[in-house]
Amino acid sequence: MFIVSNISFLSSLYKDSVKNSLRDNVFIISNLIKEYDKQRYQNIFKNSDVRFNIIKGDGVVVYDSKKYDKEYELENHGARKEILALENDEMGFDIRKSSVSDEMTAYYAEKETNKDGETIIVRVSKNYGSTQKILRAILLVEILFFTLLNIVIHSFYKNYLKRDVYRKIEIIEKYLKDEGRGGTLYFEKDPWILNLWDVVQKWQEKNLENIVELNREKRILHQIITSIDASICLFDDNLKLIIKNTRFNYLYEKDRINYLDLIKDIEIIDVMKKTIEQKQNQKSEVYIPRLKRYFSINIKFLDQDQRYLLSIKDITQTKGMLEVQKTFISNISHELKTPLTNIKGYVIALEDAPEPLKLQFIKTIKNNIDKLENIIVDFLNITKIESSKIVNIEKIAVERLKMELNLSLSERIKSSGAVITYNLNLLNKHGELSIDFEKVLTIIKNLVENAIVYRGNKIPEIEISIIETKSKYKIGIKDNGIGMAPEDVEKIFERFYRVDKARTSNKAGTGLGLSIVKELVEICGGKIDVLSKEGKGSIFIFTILK
């Protein structure tokens, strides 16, 4: 910038110098033409390096000191810039390449009056090429000078200033690493380094605070991601894995990044591809055959960051609950409809039935009412269990348990001729049990009732054994009933499940009895198992905590 401005200044200075010189020449010539003729001009200026013209108002050259008596060869000068400037009352000055000498020439013109009183234009010109050469030489010298100066400054900066600054920055860096935060540094005669140190120190304190906050937020985010009951994966715009929690790792390949290599199952990949193609959020439920499980797939396209958030949740249990609800509706409809239909039919038949059949019809109606009552009791028990899982342990005499059991099953025992025996091995000398009486009674009642109902053509023989240890009771219910196949043993504790033989035997039941038993046992802190063989009977063994 300095070179450009300097050359511009010098160029302007030289132009002004040439302009003033030409103006002086015009002044001298103007005085001459007022007193002398052309011949006299020529004698004076024929050997001069200054060239001048006399031009009429219409642009015709009437005199040229270098083309004397050949002015007719010259072009009309009315269109020259310096001539046009005079017509606009401006200074008649211009620098351009001459059409005669083909060199840069400076022109200056003014309006004057000759000796005959005519208004003419006196134009003086001078070679400007030498001046330009001088300016170029000055420009070259300045460029060389400043180039050398820059080299010297750069060398000084590199070998002293830069090295000194680096050394002081290294001191600051070492101090920050050693001290952590706080403290004071002193650099003599370097106030700007001290200012830099203050800025760095404040920045470090703020940065350390930000790091602490960032680590805290990162820890919270990690806790949230790991605690979510779903698999979370975040992919970048190139579909490379950024972050993933540890849920459902069996859905993914280890040490893979691309989603096609990472995700094992095509069912999930298809949903992912749909999101990628449409750039829209997708939500779908898929069944994965190899796992025999249902999953809810939710993929969000994060438009701002061009990323994909995949979340996968196992909904197998929810699907199972839907199936349970369907089974519930089906079973309750069937179980309620059958006895109600029987009651209605026998009530209608009772009106016109002969006297000997009326007692039989009334007995049948009563049996169906008992079935309805049992169904309702089962559903009430399930509702009661789900609404309250509090265990009320109290000391209860074994004899009271026997009495309540016989009383609640008196009709069943009497009609079937069932024989119930007890095998007790108690630590308590007074024959007392520390149990939740209502829950344990319900468990044993349901198991004994099943033993009576599913006896086949045999007279039920049921043995109830109670063995007490320091921390729990082990109770067994053994019967001589129809037994169960191995495939049924695995499912009998599911709600509404009834084995095919039981379902077709027209026995009352909702399929909730053993489900109630299992839930009550677990509420009491124990577990239940069953041993059974078709045609040989079953043994139910469960434990409860004291």
Side-chain angles (χ1 to χ4, degrees):
M1 289 179 65
F2 175 80
I3 293 173
V4 172
S5 61
N6 187 52
I7 291 301
S8 178
F9 172 75
L10 289 175
S11 178
S12 177
L13 193 63
Y14 273 94
K15 283 181 181 179
D16 289 341
S17 175
V18 171
K19 187 189 303 179
N20 292 331
S21 175
L22 293 176
R23 183 187 291 118
D24 292 340
N25 290 333
V26 168
F27 177 76
I28 295 171
I29 293 169
S30 296
N31 290 324
L32 288 174
I33 64 175
K34 290 178 182 180
E35 298 180 8
Y36 302 103
D37 56 13
K38 288 172 54 177
Q39 182 62 44
R40 186 69 171 168
Y41 309 156
Q42 187 62 23
N43 292 333
I44 295 172
F45 291 101
K46 64 181 179 180
N47 296 320
S48 174
D49 61 342
V50 176
R51 178 183 182 186
F52 80 92
N53 311 98
I54 296 176
I55 305 168
K56 286 185 177 183
D58 58 2
V60 176
V61 180
V62 296
Y63 174 75
D64 189 310
S65 62
K66 299 296 183 183
K67 289 270 190 180
Y68 182 65
D69 285 341
K70 294 183 179 180
E71 287 85 359
Y72 60 86
E73 296 179 356
L74 298 174
E75 296 177 358
N76 188 292
H77 283 30
R80 300 293 193 267
K81 288 184 179 181
E82 61 276 9
I83 305 301
L84 292 173
L86 292 176
E87 293 179 1
N88 297 325
D89 296 326
E90 298 174 358
M91 181 182 292
F93 180 75
D94 187 31
I95 296 175
R96 63 177 181 275
K97 185 178 286 188
S98 173
S99 59
V100 177
S101 62
D102 200 30
E103 293 182 354
M104 290 300 294
T105 304
Y107 298 93
Y108 185 85
E110 283 188 6
K111 289 182 179 181
E112 297 293 343
T113 305
N114 61 14
K115 67 176 184 174
D116 297 325
E118 297 175 334
T119 299
I120 58 172
I121 297 173
V122 177
R123 188 186 74 165
V124 181
S125 60
K126 186 178 181 179
N127 186 288
Y128 196 73
S130 58
T131 304
Q132 281 193 323
K133 290 179 181 178
I134 293 171
L135 289 173
R136 290 194 188 100
I138 293 172
L139 176 62
L140 180 61
V141 170
E142 287 184 350
I143 291 173
L144 292 173
F145 172 76
F146 282 104
T147 301
L148 181 61
L149 182 62
N150 282 333
I151 292 171
V152 172
I153 293 173
H154 177 73
S155 177
F156 177 74
Y157 166 74
K158 183 176 180 181
N159 293 292
Y160 176 74
L161 288 179
K162 186 176 179 181
R163 186 179 301 169
D164 184 60
V165 171
Y166 279 1
R167 181 181 62 82
K168 290 173 181 176
I169 290 176
E170 287 174 357
I171 292 172
I172 292 175
E173 181 183 10
K174 184 178 183 301
Y175 188 83
L176 289 174
K177 289 180 178 178
D178 294 341
E179 298 295 326
R181 68 166 74 198
T184 306
L185 285 179
Y186 298 97
F187 294 99
E188 294 182 0
K189 300 179 181 180
D190 282 325
W192 72 273
I193 286 287
L194 288 176
N195 290 336
L196 175 63
W197 162 243
D198 289 338
V199 171
V200 170
Q201 192 176 30
K202 290 176 183 177
W203 173 84
Q204 185 203 25
E205 290 177 358
K206 186 66 177 177
N207 191 45
L208 289 174
E209 292 174 2
N210 290 339
I211 289 173
V212 171
E213 180 65 19
L214 185 62
N215 287 334
R216 187 184 71 84
E217 292 180 357
K218 184 178 180 181
R219 187 167 57 253
I220 292 173
L221 180 61
H222 180 265
Q223 290 173 349
I224 292 173
I225 291 176
T226 54
S227 63
I228 291 176
D229 188 25
S231 173
I232 303 292
C233 296
L234 182 64
F235 298 91
D236 63 16
D237 55 343
N238 293 319
L239 301 170
K240 305 291 185 183
L241 181 66
I242 299 174
I243 190 172
K244 181 179 80 67
N245 66 358
T246 56
R247 297 290 295 178
F248 309 147
N249 275 340
Y250 52 80
L251 294 174
Y252 308 102
E253 297 286 355
K254 288 184 179 180
D255 304 323
R256 301 297 174 89
I257 297 178
N258 186 276
Y259 86 100
L260 288 172
D261 300 326
L262 177 70
I263 301 171
K264 290 183 177 181
D265 302 286
I266 190 65
E267 293 82 4
I268 302 175
I269 291 175
D270 286 342
V271 182
M272 190 78 179
K273 283 183 176 179
K274 197 172 181 181
T275 304
I276 296 166
E277 291 170 359
Q278 300 180 4
K279 301 292 184 183
Q280 292 180 348
N281 299 340
Q282 299 290 336
K283 189 171 184 180
S284 180
E285 292 182 2
V286 300
Y287 176 74
I288 298 181
R290 74 177 180 89
L291 300 173
K292 297 182 179 178
R293 302 192 72 81
Y294 290 91
F295 293 91
S296 174
I297 312 299
N298 192 356
I299 307 176
K300 292 187 177 295
F301 174 61
L302 308 179
D303 188 25
Q304 186 173 359
D305 299 321
Q306 296 292 304
R307 294 181 176 180
Y308 301 86
L309 181 63
L310 167 67
S311 63
I312 303 175
K313 189 172 183 180
D314 190 333
I315 57 170
T316 306
Q317 187 174 359
T318 305
K319 285 283 187 180
M321 290 300 297
L322 291 175
E323 291 300 320
V324 168
Q325 290 177 4
K326 290 179 182 178
T327 305
F328 170 82
I329 294 171
S330 175
N331 281 348
I332 194 68
S333 300
H334 174 76
E335 298 298 339
L336 291 176
K337 183 178 179 181
T338 301
L340 282 173
T341 302
N342 290 337
I343 291 170
K344 182 179 179 180
Y346 279 100
V347 167
I348 294 172
L350 190 62
E351 296 177 354
D352 301 323
E355 199 63 33
L357 291 177
K358 283 186 178 181
L359 290 176
Q360 182 178 348
F361 287 178
I362 291 172
K363 184 178 179 181
T364 303
I365 291 171
K366 185 176 180 298
N367 287 337
N368 281 280
I369 291 173
D370 289 340
K371 289 181 182 181
L372 282 176
E373 184 180 12
N374 287 335
I375 292 169
I376 293 170
V377 167
D378 278 346
F379 285 113
L380 288 176
N381 283 336
I382 277 289
T383 304
K384 188 175 180 181
I385 289 169
E386 290 180 345
S387 62
S388 176
K389 297 188 178 182
I390 299 173
V391 179
N392 298 311
I393 296 178
E394 55 183 330
K395 286 189 177 181
I396 302 294
V398 173
E399 293 304 319
R400 181 185 169 188
L401 181 64
K402 291 181 182 179
M403 182 181 67
E404 292 289 344
L405 181 63
N406 288 332
L407 184 62
S408 63
L409 294 174
S410 58
E411 289 293 331
R412 296 279 191 190
I413 293 172
K414 183 178 179 181
S415 62
S416 65
V419 178
I420 301 177
T421 58
Y422 292 87
N423 182 11
L424 305 177
N425 186 357
L426 305 178
L427 299 179
N428 189 292
K429 295 180 180 180
H430 302 289
E432 292 178 334
L433 303 173
S434 296
I435 59 173
D436 185 320
F437 176 71
E438 186 177 347
K439 289 181 175 61
V440 173
L441 177 62
T442 302
I443 294 169
I444 296 176
K445 173 182 172 295
N446 282 3
L447 292 175
V448 172
E449 187 174 25
N450 275 357
I452 293 172
V453 171
Y454 302 117
R455 66 183 184 274
N457 297 322
K458 303 175 184 176
I459 295 176
E461 295 179 2
I462 303 165
E463 179 183 345
I464 301 174
S465 61
I466 303 176
I467 301 173
E468 182 182 6
T469 65
K470 289 183 179 181
S471 60
K472 60 187 177 182
Y473 295 100
K474 185 176 181 180
I475 302 174
I477 312 293
K478 181 181 179 182
D479 66 58
N480 63 339
I482 60 176
M484 292 174 285
E487 60 270 18
D488 292 322
V489 171
E490 296 177 0
K491 299 178 181 179
I492 57 171
F493 293 111
E494 296 177 7
R495 288 188 182 184
F496 305 112
Y497 183 80
R498 294 171 67 191
V499 299
D500 289 339
K501 290 182 179 179
R503 192 178 295 276
T504 57
S505 64
N506 200 27
K507 303 291 183 181
T510 59
L512 290 174
L514 290 180
S515 174
I516 292 171
V517 167
K518 184 175 184 292
E519 290 197 37
L520 289 175
V521 169
E522 289 176 351
I523 290 172
C524 293
K527 64 178 183 177
I528 186 167
D529 293 308
V530 59
L531 300 173
S532 185
K533 191 174 181 179
E534 286 188 283
K536 300 294 183 180
S538 304
I539 303 175
F540 288 85
I541 302 169
F542 66 92
T543 59
I544 55 173
L545 296 179
K546 295 172 69 174

